[in-house]
Amino acid sequence: QEGIAEAQVLNAWLWGSRWFGEQSANSDYDLMLVVSGWTQPRGKHYHVVKAPKVDICLFSEAVFAELVSDLHSWTLAFLF
């Protein structure tokens, strides 16, 4: 993503079919990144960056913390 430096990435997780062990030869890589110093687009829970065979979901630190605080079950899986 333009404007996000490597140093801003606080956490990165593999998820989707590869995380569940259900990938096929055609599966892409799904990554979730939590970044600092980035303002998430209004009204979006995540911002998706697509590249060949890679999908990246970006969350600002503040939005991800709010989702965890609100006990969104899928976010809790990334805390352990």
Side-chain angles (χ1 to χ4, degrees):
Q1 173 70 25
E2 186 177 325
I4 295 177
E6 184 177 339
Q8 289 177 266
V9 176
L10 301 174
N11 290 4
W13 295 282
L14 177 68
W15 68 305
S17 63
R18 293 184 184 276
W19 186 69
F20 289 108
E22 299 172 353
Q23 72 274 12
S24 70
N26 296 324
S27 293
D28 63 356
Y29 287 85
D30 298 300
L31 302 172
M32 186 174 81
L33 278 63
V34 176
V35 296
S36 65
W38 175 65
T39 303
Q40 197 154 342
R42 292 182 149 230
K44 289 194 173 197
H45 287 293
Y46 60 89
H47 180 71
V48 179
V49 178
K50 292 195 176 260
K53 301 283 283 181
V54 178
D55 291 332
I56 301 172
C57 291
L58 295 174
F59 289 86
S60 68
E61 183 178 16
V63 168
F64 188 75
E66 182 179 312
L67 291 170
V68 171
S69 179
D70 289 344
L71 299 177
H72 287 266
S73 59
W74 65 268
T75 63
L76 303 177
F78 296 104
L79 301 179
F80 300 98

